[in-house]
Amino acid sequence: MVRSPLTPQQLAAGKRLGAYLRQARGDRKPAEVAQAASISPETLRKIETGRLATPAFTTVAALASVLKVPLEDLAQVCMPDLNLPKTG
């Protein structure tokens, strides 16, 4: 199966997601966060730098859980024009 190239919008969303997750990680070591999320440090690096613009949902959910970031916040970062209802 051949994957279609990512759109400029998807690439930009991936960069925003990566930057947000990097900020949420704060002073924690990448290896520590990656291990807690059951992903490789290289995968985390790729996500944080935007080189992996569309990570799997389970990966994003695991990172959100480890970093204590609501998934709704990540959805808003990726799609700022999406009007999501506030939960809480």
Side-chain angles (χ1 to χ4, degrees), residues 25 29-42 44 63 66:
R25 181 167 57 82
K29 294 182 182 201
E32 172 192 330
V33 171
Q35 181 179 12
S38 298
I39 63 173
S40 72
E42 181 60 22
L44 180 58
L63 286 169
V66 168

Side-chain angles (χ1 to χ4, degrees), residues 12-35:
K15 287 189 182 296
R16 287 192 305 273
L17 173 66
Y20 187 91
L21 290 173
R22 171 61 190 95
Q23 182 179 4
R25 181 167 57 82
D27 293 335
R28 291 177 70 180
K29 294 182 182 201
E32 172 192 330
V33 171
Q35 181 179 12

Side-chain angles (χ1 to χ4, degrees), residues 37-81:
S38 298
I39 63 173
S40 72
E42 181 60 22
T43 296
L44 180 58
R45 261 190 298 281
K46 286 179 181 179
I47 292 168
E48 287 185 350
T49 60
R51 289 187 350 226
L52 179 55
T54 58
F57 176 77
T58 54
T59 300
V60 174
L63 286 169
S65 177
V66 168
L67 297 172
K68 307 288 190 247
V69 175
L71 284 172
E72 292 86 2
D73 289 1
L74 297 181
Q76 192 65 46
V77 166
C78 291
M79 302 180 71
D81 296 333

